[in-house]
């Protein structure tokens, strides 16, 4: 099931709810791409409930340190650290863009962009070498030239990317991504507690699920937009 959502094996109405497998939450998050995470982060910033840490969640974490550690371990097992999670999200994003990239290769834009980048790399390397020789390796001149060439390389790279017409998600800032990770951990903590038969009051349970439900909803909306043709 996408994003860890079960639809076929739901318990019948009136029967006791089966606790969710705590592993499914982070596993669902590991299937999200950069485009999903970027949309979720952007939307989360506008939510009043995300302006600060919920006291109910702070109390839940403080009251169950062993279960919190278990939840964090499950999240790390599925997502890894921040860099590993971003690599997975990048791979998912690349898989999402594979049909688009195929069309760009078919119409010749991909090859043209590759040639542009190769030409830019050669020109910039030659320019750096020329400056190094002309200034006899003067450190200040090399630093100024290096900074200027880096800025030029950034601009030329953006031009090549624009020519490819591939969607580029907004840069994911570390602190905001950690907030999303905390949402995943909170929902996993709730699932761990319920799997152990530990009762959690409804208000706290809703707070623990809120961030993860928002992430899934944002991801589903992104997919819905892209599926619209």
């Amino acid at each position: 099931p996408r994003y860890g959502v079960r639809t076929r094996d739901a318990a019948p109405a009136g029967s006791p709810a089966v606790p969710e497998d705590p592993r499914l939450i982070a596993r669902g998050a590991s299937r999200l791409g950069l485009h999903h995470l970027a949309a979720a982060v952007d939307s989360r910033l506008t939510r009043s409930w995300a302006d600060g840490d919920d006291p109910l969640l702070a109390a839940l974490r403080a009251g169950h340190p062993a279960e919190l550690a278990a939840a964090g371990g499950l999240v790390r097992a599925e997502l890894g650290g921040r860099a590993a999670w971003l690599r997975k999200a990048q791979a998912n994003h690349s898989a999402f863009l594979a049909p688009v990239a195929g069309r760009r290769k078919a119409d010749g834009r991909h090859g043209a962009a590759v040639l542009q980048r190769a030409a830019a790399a050669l020109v910039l390397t030659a320019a750096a070498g020329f400056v190094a020789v002309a200034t006899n390796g003067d450190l200040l001149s090399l630093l100024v030239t290096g900074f200027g060439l880096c800025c030029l390389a950034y601009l030329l790279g953006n031009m090549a990317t624009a020519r490819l017409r591939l969607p580029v998600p907004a840069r994911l800032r570390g602190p905001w991504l950690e907030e999303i990770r905390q949402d995943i951990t909170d929902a996993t903590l709730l699932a761990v507690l319920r799997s152990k038969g530990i009762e959690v009051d409804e208000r706290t349970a809703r707070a623990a699920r809120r961030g993860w439900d928002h992430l899934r909803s944002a991801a589903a909306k992104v997919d819905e937009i892209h599926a619209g043709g």
Side-chain angles (χ1 to χ4, degrees):
R2 179 170 292 177
Y3 315 139
V5 182
R6 291 185 180 275
T7 57
R8 295 176 54 188
D9 300 326
S15 64
V18 178
E20 181 177 18
D21 185 340
R23 295 171 297 181
L24 294 180
I25 296 171
R27 192 169 298 168
S30 71
R31 301 189 185 108
L32 299 176
L34 291 175
H35 51 307
H36 297 125
L37 296 178
V41 165
D42 188 54
S43 176
R44 192 183 189 282
L45 291 172
T46 68
R47 307 301 184 195
S48 59
W49 54 261
D51 288 346
D53 196 18
D54 192 316
L56 292 174
L57 292 179
L60 184 68
R61 299 181 202 118
H64 302 280
E67 288 77 14
L68 179 61
L74 290 174
V75 173
R76 283 192 299 274
E78 293 292 341
L79 299 182
R82 183 190 302 175
W85 186 17
L86 286 174
R87 285 195 297 271
K88 289 180 181 180
Q90 178 63 64
N92 294 334
H93 183 62
S94 297
F96 160 72
L97 289 180
V100 185
R103 296 203 306 270
R104 298 297 176 262
K105 289 181 180 179
D107 64 17
R109 296 187 195 191
H110 188 274
V114 170
L115 288 176
Q116 287 178 358
R117 288 171 176 165
L122 289 174
V123 170
L124 294 175
T125 301
F130 175 79
V131 171
V133 172
T135 61
N136 292 320
D138 180 67
L139 181 59
L140 179 61
S141 298
L142 290 175
L143 288 175
V144 172
T145 302
F147 177 76
L149 291 177
C150 285
C151 292
L152 182 58
Y154 177 78
L155 293 174
L156 293 175
N158 282 343
M159 291 173 59
T161 299
R163 182 179 178 83
L164 275 173
R165 295 190 66 249
L166 289 177
V168 179
R171 187 171 71 89
L172 292 170
R173 290 168 174 80
W176 296 346
L177 191 62
E178 284 303 312
E179 292 179 6
I180 295 288
R181 191 184 184 97
Q182 185 62 62
D183 290 341
I184 296 167
T185 303
D186 288 336
T188 303
L189 170 60
L190 177 65
V192 169
L193 291 171
R194 286 179 167 172
S195 71
K196 291 185 173 183
I198 300 175
E199 292 292 331
V200 178
D201 68 272
E202 189 57 33
R203 285 184 60 211
T204 302
R206 283 199 301 269
R209 292 279 309 184
R210 183 170 50 209
W212 168 237
D213 288 341
H214 173 266
L215 174 57
R216 289 191 305 161
S217 176
K221 287 294 183 184
V222 170
D223 285 341
E224 181 181 339
I225 290 170
H226 288 294

